[in-house]
Amino acid sequence: MKEICFFAGAIGCLGGAIAVIGLRNPFYSVLALIVHLISLAGLFLLLRAEFLAAAQIVVYAGAVMVLYVFVAAYVGNVEESLWEPIPGQRWLAPVLGLALFVELSIAIIGSGLKSLDTEGPTVELGFGSPEAIGRLLLERFLIAFEAASLLLLIAAVGAVVLAARRREEATS
Amino acid sequence: MDMSWYLVLSALLFATGAVGVLIRRSPLVILLCLELMLNAGNLALITFSRTLGDEEGQVFALIVMVIAACEVVIGLGIIVAAYRRRIPLNVDELRALRG
């Protein structure tokens, strides 16, 4: 059963990812990324990260993707030129990507970590629950938590500054 | 399901995102490919957290989600600002950020 769930999630993830880079229309790419994110949330559930799976769907597939959909609709279909700054870039890039994948896989499989060939230790019922994550965030990782909230505030202010119309622009 | 399957999947997703960054020209799609790469990293972090039976990796993944949200907000802000000024949305021509 676990295998079926894993392969279903993996096919959804990979299909979504390939559709993101393959589709010509940016709007369809955004929709493909939503498929990818929801399949990934399923994989998170298999890995017993329940809170993160919920956060993935609510924050990513919900809020962030709505932002993308709005901007993709606002900007419209951008013509992508076929001109290549580096000759043969379109052929070279997949080769380099394949090399990256092979290298990462060698690093993972060759790492010799014994626990990688197991299904992981058995964990108690509350593993990955909001309670456990919240306790870790507010006790051990309090500084990271506060820094993240400060970063979000700066990003919000930056977005307002970037998106605000200049006065001369508004009058013209 | 062995944990190495999840890690190999995450490597594959990361490589897909990297290829997307290299072959696409539109900044919007490049941001989407960055999301793919960040999510592949998240999958690896959560896999390691499950492997070790420790939730700390999940906290890392949560912070990565926050960083990704900030990056999206600023990136989309720049795209909208460039579109308003009728600057072509093409990373080959979009070389300077001076307004």
Side-chain angles (χ1 to χ4, degrees):
Chain A
M1 190 58 204
K2 256 187 173 174
E3 279 79 4
I4 298 171
C5 292
F6 172 78
F7 281 111
I11 289 168
C13 275
L14 258 183
I18 291 169
V20 167
I21 66 170
L23 289 172
R24 305 293 303 167
N25 191 336
F27 199 81
Y28 292 157
S29 290
V30 175
L31 297 183
L33 192 65
I34 295 178
V35 173
H36 167 83
L37 291 173
I38 291 176
S39 317
L40 208 59
L43 288 184
F44 287 0
L45 273 183
L46 276 181
L47 287 167
R48 302 287 309 274
E50 286 121 21
F51 175 64
L52 274 178
Q56 175 96 352
I57 289 187
V58 172
V59 175
Y60 249 123
V64 173
M65 285 302 122
V66 168
L67 207 63
Y68 266 115
V69 167
F70 272 124
V71 173
Y74 179 69
V75 170
N77 200 353
V78 183
E79 276 300 311
E80 290 202 23
S81 62
L82 288 171
W83 176 74
E84 297 175 335
I86 305 166
Q89 188 175 351
R90 242 162 262 271
W91 298 105
L92 214 55
V95 175
L96 289 178
L98 193 68
L100 180 66
F101 168 62
V102 169
E103 193 179 340
L104 283 173
S105 300
I106 289 173
I108 290 161
I109 294 166
S111 66
L113 290 172
K114 286 193 185 63
S115 51
L116 286 188
D117 294 329
T118 64
E119 296 198 4
T122 49
V123 288
E124 69 275 22
L125 197 61
F127 186 80
S129 64
E131 187 194 350
I133 301 286
R135 180 160 293 148
L136 268 178
L137 262 182
L138 289 179
E139 284 173 4
R140 283 201 54 195
F141 296 99
L142 184 63
I143 296 178
F145 179 70
E146 293 297 338
S149 61
L150 190 65
L151 188 67
L152 276 174
L153 181 68
I154 294 171
V157 173
V160 171
V161 171
L162 278 172
R165 264 175 211 275
R166 296 252 174 92
R167 200 165 293 131
E168 68 267 33
E169 211 180 328
T171 51
S172 64
Chain B
M1 225 43 228
D2 285 356
M3 288 296 128
S4 43
W5 280 86
Y6 289 95
L7 287 178
V8 170
L9 175 66
S10 119
L12 197 53
L13 292 176
F14 190 87
T16 313
V19 170
V21 170
L22 288 177
I23 63 173
R24 296 303 295 260
R25 296 271 84 84
S26 150
L28 192 70
V29 181
I30 287 182
L31 273 181
L32 290 176
C33 294
L34 287 182
E35 297 286 318
L36 284 181
M37 292 164 84
L38 284 167
N39 274 303
N42 264 352
L43 182 61
L45 281 173
I46 291 174
T47 308
F48 279 121
S49 122
R50 179 74 183 84
T51 310
L52 301 173
D54 193 340
E55 283 126 335
E56 283 175 21
Q58 299 187 8
V59 177
F60 269 75
L62 203 60
I63 302 285
V64 170
M65 273 188 197
V66 172
I67 306 286
C70 294
E71 170 239 312
V72 165
V73 164
I74 297 297
L76 290 181
I78 291 174
I79 291 174
V80 168
Y83 181 72
R84 276 212 189 122
R85 278 148 215 247
R86 292 173 185 76
I87 299 167
L89 284 178
N90 184 329
V91 284
D92 293 324
E93 296 163 49
L94 199 62
R95 288 202 170 138
L97 276 182
R98 262 183 76 231

